[in-house]
Amino acid sequence: MKKVDAIIKPFKLDEVKESLSAIGIQGITVTEVKGFGRQKGHTELYRGAEYVVDFLPKVKLEIIVKDDLVASVVAAIEKSAKTGRIGDGKIFVQTIDEVVRIRTSERGDQAI
Amino acid sequence: MKKVDAIIKPFKLDEVKESLSAIGIQGITVTEVKGFGRQKGHTELYRGAEYVVDFLPKVKLEIIVKDDLVASVVAAIEKSAKTGRIGDGKIFVQTIDEVVRIRTSERGDQAI
Amino acid sequence: MKKVDAIIKPFKLDEVKESLSAIGIQGITVTEVKGFGRQKGHTELYRGAEYVVDFLPKVKLEIIVKDDLVASVVAAIEKSAKTGRIGDGKIFVQTIDEVVRIRTSERGDQAI
Amino acid sequence: MRMTWQSSMNPLRAAGWLAVAGVLVFVDSAWAEEAASTLDTGDTAWILMSSAVVLLMTPALALFYAGMARSKNVLGTMMHSFFLMGLISVQWAVIGYTMAFGSDVGSFVGGFDYAFLAGVGGEPNPDLAETIPHSAFMAFQMMFAIITTALISGGFAERMRFSAFVIFSLLWATLVYAPVCHWVWGGGWIGSMGALDFAGGTVVHINSGVAALACAIVIGPRLGYPKEPMVPHNLTLTVIGAGLLWFGWFGFNAGSALASDGAAANAFVATHLAAATATLTWCLAEYVARGKASVLGAASGAVAGLVAITPGAGFVGPMSAIAIGAVVGPLCYYAVGLKQTLGYDDSLDAFGVHGVGGTWGALATGIFASAAVGGTDGLLYGNPGQMWPQVVSIVATASYSFAMTFAILKIVDALVGLRVADQDEITGLDLSQHGEVGYNL
Amino acid sequence: MRMTWQSSMNPLRAAGWLAVAGVLVFVDSAWAEEAASTLDTGDTAWILMSSAVVLLMTPALALFYAGMARSKNVLGTMMHSFFLMGLISVQWAVIGYTMAFGSDVGSFVGGFDYAFLAGVGGEPNPDLAETIPHSAFMAFQMMFAIITTALISGGFAERMRFSAFVIFSLLWATLVYAPVCHWVWGGGWIGSMGALDFAGGTVVHINSGVAALACAIVIGPRLGYPKEPMVPHNLTLTVIGAGLLWFGWFGFNAGSALASDGAAANAFVATHLAAATATLTWCLAEYVARGKASVLGAASGAVAGLVAITPGAGFVGPMSAIAIGAVVGPLCYYAVGLKQTLGYDDSLDAFGVHGVGGTWGALATGIFASAAVGGTDGLLYGNPGQMWPQVVSIVATASYSFAMTFAILKIVDALVGLRVADQDEITGLDLSQHGEVGYNL
Amino acid sequence: MRMTWQSSMNPLRAAGWLAVAGVLVFVDSAWAEEAASTLDTGDTAWILMSSAVVLLMTPALALFYAGMARSKNVLGTMMHSFFLMGLISVQWAVIGYTMAFGSDVGSFVGGFDYAFLAGVGGEPNPDLAETIPHSAFMAFQMMFAIITTALISGGFAERMRFSAFVIFSLLWATLVYAPVCHWVWGGGWIGSMGALDFAGGTVVHINSGVAALACAIVIGPRLGYPKEPMVPHNLTLTVIGAGLLWFGWFGFNAGSALASDGAAANAFVATHLAAATATLTWCLAEYVARGKASVLGAASGAVAGLVAITPGAGFVGPMSAIAIGAVVGPLCYYAVGLKQTLGYDDSLDAFGVHGVGGTWGALATGIFASAAVGGTDGLLYGNPGQMWPQVVSIVATASYSFAMTFAILKIVDALVGLRVADQDEITGLDLSQHGEVGYNL
Ligand SMILES: Nc1ncnc2c1ncn2[C@@H]1O[C@H](COP(=O)(O)OP(=O)(O)O)[C@@H](O)[C@H]1O
Ligand SMILES: Nc1ncnc2c1ncn2[C@@H]1O[C@H](COP(=O)(O)OP(=O)(O)O)[C@@H](O)[C@H]1O
Ligand SMILES: Nc1ncnc2c1ncn2[C@@H]1O[C@H](COP(=O)(O)OP(=O)(O)O)[C@@H](O)[C@H]1O
């Protein structure tokens, strides 16, 4: 089993969720994060004082999938999250040793 | 060393924390997340317009443990987080290569 | 490729970010988390009722790096996040199977 | 998320309303008879503005309470106040006002002379207030009925079914507030026996505080109470609320002079000084007990001081007001702790502050009243006899309020069920009762 | 984050202001002629305080609206109200007041007699208000100009360029508000034909509501509307706003009596009861349609009730006020759904509430007016002829407002562009237009 | 989280309070002597309501300031205002009022005639205000003492020990506010020399602004300042605060007429127009310097305008008010940047806005005063001599305030330590000083 993490632009969340649903993904965990990267931040002004903010709002998706689904999940995210502009984000894939569904105590692929 | 991630219902947090304390776990990192899964969302109404919200509030726990504790940690979470109703959440286990305690620069099992 | 996770004290974030920038790190994803650990919590009082709060605000950094940078990243974090007082936090290192840059579809080390 | 809209406009319903309107217009016609005017523009300005600021106390209470609730109940808690600006206002116009201030029936309740506000117009009614329009007097009193009913919600916050809340509030305002108001201010037996209550120590605070206690007992504690922490979710709301309450209370107490004169000014000063002193002494009590004074303590102390001075505002001098405030701070600080000892869940301390503070205020009025200020001397000025009507008014109001509230709750429980389902309580009132959430930050 | 500061003080600029000041002082000198005073201190107190609470309605509107916007636009939405307290006040002092209340020119607009407030001093101007200072009357009316212009922003919220907003508001207040105000209250043709508008059903609500509709149509829907969910980000702000609006509306409507008397008291009562009833009936409509009443519904209903009673507050009795409020709740509940059917994006329902509610109010005034209350009978009291001026005033105001707003928008679009760039809309107005963010919690 | 409760009610403490009360009642008795009344109900209504809205300015300031603080200090910052509604009110009743308005002692301070409010009752005191109750005058002035002391907290926000704050405030109100108030309004030397200060340019704004500067210097910058970003945590609070401040300022300035007449109306208009203009010109300065106008800028400009017009509100005409506001917007915009150049940390710009804006206002009063408005001409009306007392009053107030504040701070530092421990500053005042947190969203 694999865990796919995707850092995306917040306004793309609904679109990505729908493209994942479309390929049969039934579970996603979403976290609001702040990203620091090549995309440059913005400037805020308060009473004349200027603050450069480097951290931009991003959304992180975590999706546990069976090994054979990884490629299609990555492809779905890539397609739906892309704007082509800097800051579109990253996808990371990791190996998971075990999955448990708390409600049923199922393990492994069944539990996803 | 392993990292155990658990996605649970928010109101179960205190109970899970206590059951983990009870088996000697001394460190947990908690994140507020939103979960999309089989548990269906709810409807919100604003001035007659209806919005279906699919993302539900969940809490994610991350716990780093020595390999031999994984089974009991998973069991403790399973037991304390279970309500038997859909949406109870998942547990994921991953392998960790290295752990460092910042304060002391200890590494490995000592650092947990 | 590796993922370095660091749980640090919130007021150290800027310093850590700068020390990472200094060694050439160009991407960081940051999450606000709550930590339970050896550092003891605080007491809150509301109309005479006393609540002991065990969870403390922490910040989690996730940084994906090429294998050969792991040691220097860990060292940079250790140095800049350390206060020497309990609760300074942890660093965890994990292996990553694949990285994708959404904007360009680059993979692997290029994508970091 | 997806968004849909179902249009289901029903023209018949609109027509129905218009028919009802026709009937009501008939009532309005009765309302035009005029008498020779003794109206004073200054007094009228003062009472109109006082009415407006007392109305503002209800949204202020919504904020004060909602800040102490948990995030998932922020709107539900606000609704307990805000909705009553609708419900009780209409109830008051239809039946409440006349039951409180209509011609006396057996010293217990007012007759139906002013039902549907018949005869309540722009001319003064000298029996009630000589120099202001009768309708201004009615409006001023209306705001009291609203906030008194809203205060009770502190006792059942975070767990009552909304439909039960609506029925309960309507019955309570009619069967408890209106009669007790009549007893004290409308020509009923408590006023007649000489009990002093300038702006509502019994009518408003003991009445609502004791009702809240009955609610807390009958409805039972919140799920998880007291094991789970239930801490205020946004104290900035509570501070805004407390600030606006303090502001509104000037209308409440000094407006109760029903004129813009020295008596109003003295009530204004007494009100302010009691609030100020209780702010200090609640903080002091916290500091002595725990080593830290808190903002919630300061806000709570202010409200406790305002409660305590309410019955005496027009009867006591400024130094007495300071004394009254000084006592009520620590008194209520300790009183709000009682619930943990005794096991009921008066969630937002409506009884602890309004019941206890109001009782102290009613007693203190008997103690500190000075003929030089408001025409009647109290215990400290050599008239111990004043304590008797004060005690009687406290006991009568508390007993009646407790018994009637208890009975109403039982009826409402039988009708629709007082309490939300456990799952709904866990989800929160905002989503389960109202289908909306407070924050999407 | 990094912080820098660039000092660029320009002494010439300060000098320029002082030069301008010199000229203006000359104008102020003209302003001192005095007449025998008939000033009443009670009336003056009432109008001054009413002016203050009507001013407060504009920050209240900022809160009411901003709570319904998305988090990234909270400040931008507030700015649409707050900034106008600056802009329209100065506009009013310079040119707006005299265009509205200066000596009549062709029944259409006021002449320049009061430009720069020349002659608007502390003595009463008996043509406008006999017992209060002329400057108090001017100030009271100024607050109306501000909030009317601010109300429009509900139609273009979350997407208008700030510079476009500034120019639009200035032109609108001058070319639309001032003349329409003159038509109705300043001696113009609508007032002369006998149309009843006590406190601004046409001048304020139809005028701004229809302008908002024009804005929504011309500027187009928000990016993603209606597919993406756009839910209120902080309803506690909306509730605070609604509470303060209700409070302020007492000054708005009862202050429009321009005296502290029975008429003011009756307007006060009518205002309150209509708001109360509409709170209930909007909730009822929600309950019937969806099974749940909401806090946003209660707040919206309150505002709809206040809108609807505005033109009739001084002309109808309390039971008629209840009828007016009862109708407007469901009416506006369904009206705000129209935008989804018809496809425009009246983002915060300025047209749905103010346009529709104001129209009902203007009609209802013709229906329910009673000579016993305000000197004129309406349809239900046997004077169907009153409906005619009411309908004319509605149609004229709506047509003029729509056409002029449309034209102004086109001009502003040509000048600076009405709408922010897509990327700026996605980022939000707070950061893109104002360089700041609402929350760092 | 775990919850516990320790009950430690002490009956002796309650008894102690009652004993104190007994003594105070004795004082109240003295307070009943009455004179022939010249009370005007309209004036009284106006001053009572003005007092209420000026009281509201202190919670408004709590919001205004707290929104600009960081999240961890939101409650601590609010406490700096809210707690003073308790502390300074009692101080004023006991000693402050008499030191300000008691019979003059050497042109420097008032005698003890009104200590414990002896003799301050419902009848007018013709020496102070002929047509309103003496107690209303006292209450009105009390609100000024509270907010002036609260304003200072902008200079030491986010780092002062709470105990130090309490002692400092008490000493400052007694040793600085009361005498300066006496100098200007209580019969002291500044008033006698003919300096014009209608509502507190020197007494309130220069006084508190300069004190804040002393505080910022003595207590030192916040940890991490100016390297770490310290951005406002919740500007919605700041906007609510600014809206309520603007509202309250009508009571502050127009109430200072001490009557409900043309002078009050003119002060009302001047106040509003200066605030409006400064809102625009602060935004304009931002736009010129950075290309963007901000909501914080608009709110700051409004407050700066209100500050600047305070001393002249009753002396200048409306166009002069516009000129005064026009200058103060850019002036304060640049002044708040000074701290970065000069290196002190006036955290919430109490000096930058109140010190600088108040100084400009005091000068501008000398420039723009017109005999036609308030009885005295200024520079522009041919009386350059008026500048002299204005300058003297500025210099005297600023010097006295700076020196005394400095001394008081040194004493308080020696007594309890001015500043919290570093660790507590990092944690935040809310938790470290008050044991509570602002938000659990
Ligand atoms: N090496 C990295 N480790 C962790 N997160 C990263 C890394 N690089 C980028 N990110 C995340 O991805 C986001 C987008 O990256 P950025 O460099 O701005 O643009 P792009 O994705 O177009 O390369 C960042 O805001 C950050 O959250
Ligand atoms: N495949 C998955 N990947 C990541 N998170 C998941 C996955 N499946 C479920 N989750 C998380 O677990 C939560 C509960 O899952 P759900 O399917 O609703 O019920 P259950 O846990 O009973 O199967 C979800 O809200 C989501 O946060
Ligand atoms: N075993 C663990 N698993 C996950 N997170 C941990 C673990 N131990 C500590 N942490 C995180 O690190 C933070 C600091 O740990 P703590 O034990 O308080 O002090 P120290 O880092 O000095 O040992 C905790 O608040 C928690 O967020």
Side-chain angles (χ1 to χ4, degrees), chain D residues 91 132 152 217 243 308 333 354:
Chain D
Q91 181 268 357
I132 61 170
I152 306 171
I217 291 170
Y333 173 73
H354 298 272

Side-chain angles (χ1 to χ4, degrees), chain A residues 35-36 38-39 58 87 89-90, chain C residues 27-29 62 64 101 103:
Chain A
F36 167 76
R38 281 158 202 79
Q39 184 186 4
K58 300 280 172 188
K90 309 273 156 127
Chain C
I28 309 175
T29 299
E62 296 174 83
I64 309 295
R101 167 174 283 128
R103 170 167 51 94

Side-chain angles (χ1 to χ4, degrees), chain A residues 11 14 18 42-55 85, chain E residues 1-6 227-229 423 426 431 434-438 440:
Chain A
F11 79 100
D14 272 346
E18 267 155 44
H42 58 259
T43 297
E44 297 177 16
L45 293 161
Y46 297 102
R47 289 191 166 169
E50 193 171 315
Y51 300 90
V52 179
V53 177
D54 296 320
F55 289 105
R85 269 192 299 272
Chain E
M1 296 206 245
R2 292 178 297 275
M3 193 168 95
T4 66
W5 171 264
Q6 303 164 340
K227 227 187 113 260
E228 264 177 50
Q423 197 52 48
I426 289 170
L431 216 39
H434 307 296
E436 52 187 351
V437 298
N440 280 291

Side-chain angles (χ1 to χ4, degrees), chain D residues 311-393:
Chain D
F315 300 115
V316 306
M319 292 301 126
S320 300
I322 286 181
I324 291 172
V327 171
V328 83
L331 179 66
C332 286
Y333 173 73
Y334 288 106
V336 301
L338 276 183
K339 64 182 178 186
Q340 277 153 313
T341 318
L342 301 181
Y344 59 91
D345 179 13
D346 177 16
S347 316
L348 309 176
D349 299 312
F351 174 69
V353 173
H354 298 272
V356 174
T359 301
W360 161 240
L363 291 173
T365 303
I367 297 170
F368 292 98
S370 155
V373 179
T376 309
D377 275 329
L379 180 63
L380 285 181
Y381 291 85
N383 177 22
Q386 187 56 41
M387 295 311 287
W388 177 241
Q390 297 306 108
V391 169
V392 170
S393 71

